[in-house]
Amino acid sequence: MKIAVPKERRAGEARVAASPDTVRKFVQLGFDVAIEAGAGAGASIGDEVFREAGATIAADSKALYAEGDVVLKIQRPTDEEAGLLKPGAVLVGGMAALANRDLMTTLAERRVTVFAMELLPRITRAQSMDILSSQANLAGYKAVLDAAGEFTRAIPMMMTAAGTIAPARFLILGAGVAGLQAIATAKRLGGVVYAFDVRPAVKEQVESLGGRFVEVDAEAVKDAETAGGYAKEMGEDYKRKQAAKIAETLKKTDIAICTALIPGKPAPVLITEDMVKDMRPGSVIVDLAVEAGGNCPLSEFDKVVVKHGVTLVGYGNVPARLAVDASALFAKNLLNFITPLVDKEAKTLTFNWDDEILKGTCVARDGVVVHPALAS
């Protein structure tokens, strides 16, 4: 059985869905591994390194897809790539399935079995497979560094003979994996950190990292979290109170890091244009939700812009800007997903369709779209 790892085709994608370590593990499990020439270049992994780990290097992407029983991807295939997948192939990776129903239907019609790893259920057994967490962790870290690069003042308190420099004040909007890493990074840089999230359960985590939790309405947020651990969309009364509290906090904030997302929906607007106008000149907003519309409507995808004296950083695909580590973690997530499926004697994959992880991630099989969020 052959595992195929193509070079990513989408703009700005530097990651690769395999690492030398995962190639070795797959070979030990009995797989043949083929990697497209140059697939690891953006992550500083040369073809020879993959070859030494046990992979063959394919110069022709068409032949790679034609022979791939299992195809590993960072991002969903392009239309051209979808046409190259062979019937019966298993496709595993980040599919952005909820926003790309037509592509999922096309893949199903080609009888490709599709696993969208972003739909992985948030259960203990699946933690080592969670691509959202591994990549968001890096994004939260990078967001703070991006903010520091644009900020025209120092971050930590500095006491000098010429006077004392006050520490920068951060506001982290959304205390999921990216937000918590942003809190930790900002604290390590010496900032004073505040954090907001609708889920009251994260308050303890925020405070354990040295942040100060911004609370809006303790009673209203008791049911603010889904069974899967994601934030729910809140009611209008709560949103009004939330906006007032964030506006008040932003007036005293130097750097805001926006990380709030609602799966399958546009990102909630947390920082309005009026709030930006009231921020201190020279303040910075890093909007990690920009690909889903942004937590601030003034953010521009893949651009750094200045509006009302505030710098807005809207880089897309932030994990790809840390491609070496992001690739290694993503590849390990995929290895951990596939390993339990391996029948070592038959050297093939076996699927227990009653398994919670498979049911949560499988988008298409047997010629039809099967995921409840997409099936019509």
Side-chain angles (χ1 to χ4, degrees), residues 143-144 146-151 153-155 168-172 186 192 194 250 252-257 279 282-286:
V144 174
D146 286 339
E150 298 293 337
F151 194 48
R153 290 174 39 209
I155 301 294
R169 294 169 65 101
F170 285 78
L171 175 61
I172 314 299
V192 175
Y194 294 81
L250 280 171
K252 299 174 284 185
T253 295
D254 298 302
I255 295 172
I257 310 288
M279 292 180 72
S283 298
V284 177
I285 296 171
V286 179

Side-chain angles (χ1 to χ4, degrees), residues 216 238-251 270 275:
V216 176
Y238 178 84
K239 287 180 180 178
R240 283 192 292 271
K241 292 178 181 178
Q242 168 189 290
K245 189 69 174 181
I246 290 175
E248 175 191 336
T249 308
L250 280 171
K251 291 176 182 178
L270 300 180
M275 293 180 191

Side-chain angles (χ1 to χ4, degrees), residues 42 57 65 74 127 140 214 220 242 245 252 254 264 266 313-314 316 325:
I57 304 302
Y65 274 106
I74 295 288
Q127 286 180 350
V214 178
Q242 168 189 290
K245 189 69 174 181
K252 299 174 284 185
D254 298 302
V313 180
D325 291 328

